[in-house]
Amino acid sequence: MNNISQRDSAVIWHPYTQMQLAPGAIGIVKGEGVFLIDEASNRYIDAIASWWVNLHGHSHPYIAQYLSKQLLTLEHCIFAGFTHEPAVALAERLLPLLPGNMARIFYSDNGSTAVEVALKMAWQYHDNRQAGRRRLIALEGAYHGDTFGAMSVSGRSLFTRPFDALLFDVSFIPFPHPGREEDTLQALETLLQQEDAAALIIEPLVQGAAGMRMYAPAVLEQMIRLCHTYGCLAIADEVMTGFGRTGTWFACDQAPGVAPDIVCLSKGLTGGTVPLGVTACTQEIYEAFLSDDHRHTLYHGHSFTANPIACAAGLASLDLLLAPACRKQIDAIAGAHRAVAKRWQDRGALRDIRQCGTILALELDTGAAGGYLDQRRDFMYHFFLERKILLRPLGNVLYLLPPYCITPEQLEQVYEAIDGLFAVL
Ligand SMILES: *Cc1c(COP(=O)(O)O)cnc(C)c1O
């Protein structure tokens, strides 16, 4: 018997997992629409889109066919001095879709690298212009990835603690909690007035890993506007919020009065099939790197930059995403979330219930401070697994972030399981 789960326990080191305490990993043999199917034929509803990446369901036949065709045409080629159709076509299709006036696409491998590239672009943009702007600003509680640059602009936390001494200095401003937005804007303006800020990096509208913390589009707009008043670049990390998650194609679309200078994408970019990162920037940033002087070059790149299969997945996913049926699914999920949020609004067990598009977050009242290691987290995780639903609470925050193909019946099944949780809390 080739038990995947047992073989795994002898050879694999899993991400974000205390291997001594974690139970064995569930061996998945197939993905099908909203379901992950394990070795024992259990069918789990993937209600968190496998860490926020999946848009159209697992093993989507359209994407699969698109990719197999690409595999037999061109699987990979070097992306310096050479180029190819999927990379160019994806850039052509993405640019007009992105918020602001994005002019160039820089490819990399994942969300963290998309952020690394954004930080380097912003930093060197000022350096190439001898502008002497060396301050980076981020929000408290931010999560921008696990590489060192991305960790540096992320909130110092349990995740970064062993490495804190190695992270570069970043000025953190308070998260714009509803009702306390002025604190954020004032802290930002005070920093900007020193005229040394290179860039502000933000997760627009929703801080994902911090527990799906949300803030109003007006604050997003004001933060970006302030940056531009003081000559500071605004980087929108749309790695999680991109491609319809927040109800609009991009979170920044909800602040149409302003435009970010750099946008980071990954996760849903390929519909969640294969890894790919994108850092998009304006013409102004791009032009600051054009020079007879080689020192003005952006010396960054990865072996698999613009992998054709990944770019093809991006194209296939866009076909599905931009079809009217997908828009309807996104609206239906958002509508169902709104309705159930009403149903739950007076639940004593909840400290807060919040929604942004297809993301619904329930913050449990724990009495204590909560946080990632909250004990209820493990209880909830297993409670839902037993009911064949994959929900992976962030501490005391239980959230839904489903693939867009989830049906109203499947959504209701998840809501009812949550009702069941309320009954035992
Ligand atoms: C997940 C995430 C990242 C990191 O992406 P990876 O592909 O996991 O490296 C960066 N920023 C945000 C907002 C994310 O949610």
Side-chain angles (χ1 to χ4, degrees):
M1 180 65 189
N2 266 351
N3 186 309
I4 304 167
S5 181
Q6 264 166 25
R7 282 163 44 222
D8 170 288
S9 66
V11 291
I12 302 291
W13 189 344
H14 286 274
Y16 279 97
T17 302
Q18 174 44 260
M19 296 300 290
Q20 180 164 309
L21 301 175
I26 297 171
I28 295 299
V29 292
K30 187 169 168 53
E32 193 180 281
V34 79
F35 293 106
L36 291 170
I37 304 163
D38 76 5
E39 297 176 274
S41 303
N42 291 306
R43 297 165 68 86
Y44 299 90
I45 293 182
D46 184 357
I48 58 160
S50 279
W51 258 346
W52 324 342
V53 301
N54 192 288
L55 299 189
H56 313 292
H58 291 281
S59 303
H60 195 289
Y62 179 77
I63 302 183
Q65 265 171 16
Y66 209 110
L67 291 206
S68 10
K69 214 169 129 200
Q70 184 59 45
L71 267 167
L72 293 168
T73 309
L74 174 68
E75 91 300 355
H76 186 64
C77 80
I78 183 172
F79 205 62
F82 289 74
T83 188
H84 50 79
E85 172 65 23
V88 176
L90 183 58
E92 286 171 345
R93 290 189 68 183
L94 278 177
L95 286 171
L97 205 61
L98 291 176
N101 300 302
M102 295 298 126
R104 293 280 164 170
I105 296 288
F106 193 102
Y107 287 108
S108 65
D109 300 344
N110 55 65
S112 301
T113 57
V115 167
E116 297 289 338
V117 171
L119 295 174
K120 284 191 180 180
M121 268 184 192
W123 183 269
Q124 196 181 343
Y125 163 82
H126 294 293
D127 194 64
N128 284 353
R129 294 159 34 119
Q130 272 106 46
R133 285 181 169 265
R134 301 186 156 265
R135 184 191 297 279
L136 292 168
I137 308 174
L139 287 186
E140 282 169 6
Y143 178 76
H144 295 291
D146 285 351
T147 50
F148 275 90
M151 272 199 293
S152 294
V153 290
S154 298
R156 303 294 177 267
S157 70
L158 176 71
F159 303 165
T160 64
R161 192 204 48 78
F163 316 108
D164 281 353
L166 295 171
L167 304 183
F168 54 71
D169 270 344
V170 170
S171 302
F172 288 96
I173 56 174
F175 178 81
H177 289 286
R180 283 190 274 150
E181 291 90 348
E182 272 314 307
D183 297 352
T184 304
L185 295 171
Q186 272 187 5
L188 177 60
E189 186 154 23
T190 304
L191 288 171
L192 291 171
Q193 279 165 345
Q194 303 184 34
E195 301 202 327
D196 61 353
L200 165 73
I201 181 165
I202 45 172
E203 292 158 271
L205 299 188
V206 187
Q207 271 191 340
M212 299 296 157
R213 300 202 295 186
M214 301 174 188
Y215 58 93
V219 190
L220 173 62
E221 183 158 335
Q222 284 164 299
M223 286 194 291
I224 296 179
R225 182 160 291 139
L226 271 178
C227 285
H228 290 165
T229 304
Y230 291 96
C232 169
L233 298 176
I235 303 171
D237 178 354
E238 295 246 17
V239 167
M240 188 275 282
T241 52
F243 303 101
R245 270 295 156 214
T246 65
T248 43
W249 290 136
F250 297 94
C252 287
D253 295 345
Q254 296 182 39
V258 291
D261 302 282
I262 297 177
V263 176
C264 305
L265 306 171
S266 189
K267 292 198 168 119
L269 173 60
T270 60
T273 50
V274 286
L276 181 66
V278 151
T279 309
C281 73
T282 59
Q283 184 68 15
E284 188 189 340
I285 292 175
Y286 175 68
E287 281 179 5
F289 289 78
L290 301 180
S291 171
D292 297 331
D293 185 344
H294 282 286
R295 288 173 303 183
H296 287 190
T297 308
L298 180 61
Y299 283 114
H300 187 103
H302 299 274
S303 315
F304 283 101
T305 298
N307 174 258
I309 297 157
C311 292
L315 287 166
S317 178
L318 275 186
D319 284 349
L320 297 172
L321 188 74
L322 298 178
C326 190
R327 179 78 258 165
K328 276 194 201 140
Q329 287 171 322
I330 290 171
D331 294 343
I333 294 168
H337 281 351
R338 259 193 305 278
V340 81
K342 270 219 180 97
R343 175 164 120 202
W344 288 335
Q345 66 188 355
D346 295 324
R347 288 278 174 179
L350 295 180
R351 181 185 294 166
D352 188 30
I353 176 160
R354 47 187 180 258
Q355 185 207 350
C356 186
T358 67
I359 308 167
L360 178 68
L362 312 175
E363 186 169 333
L364 270 82
D365 203 341
T366 52
Y372 190 79
L373 293 184
D374 190 288
Q375 294 173 0
R376 303 257 184 111
R377 186 246 168 234
D378 288 351
F379 173 77
M380 291 193 281
Y381 178 68
H382 293 290
F383 178 91
F384 291 111
L385 271 190
E386 280 165 24
R387 286 154 186 81
K388 307 295 175 270
I389 294 168
L390 171 56
L391 284 171
R392 204 171 189 278
L394 293 153
N396 62 325
V397 178
L398 180 65
Y399 68 92
L400 275 75
L401 195 153
Y404 302 150
C405 66
I406 195 167
T407 64
E409 295 75 30
Q410 290 160 344
L411 254 186
E412 189 52 38
Q413 194 182 329
V414 178
Y415 295 154
E416 277 170 19
I418 295 173
D419 275 325
L421 176 79
F422 289 146
V424 298
L425 279 182

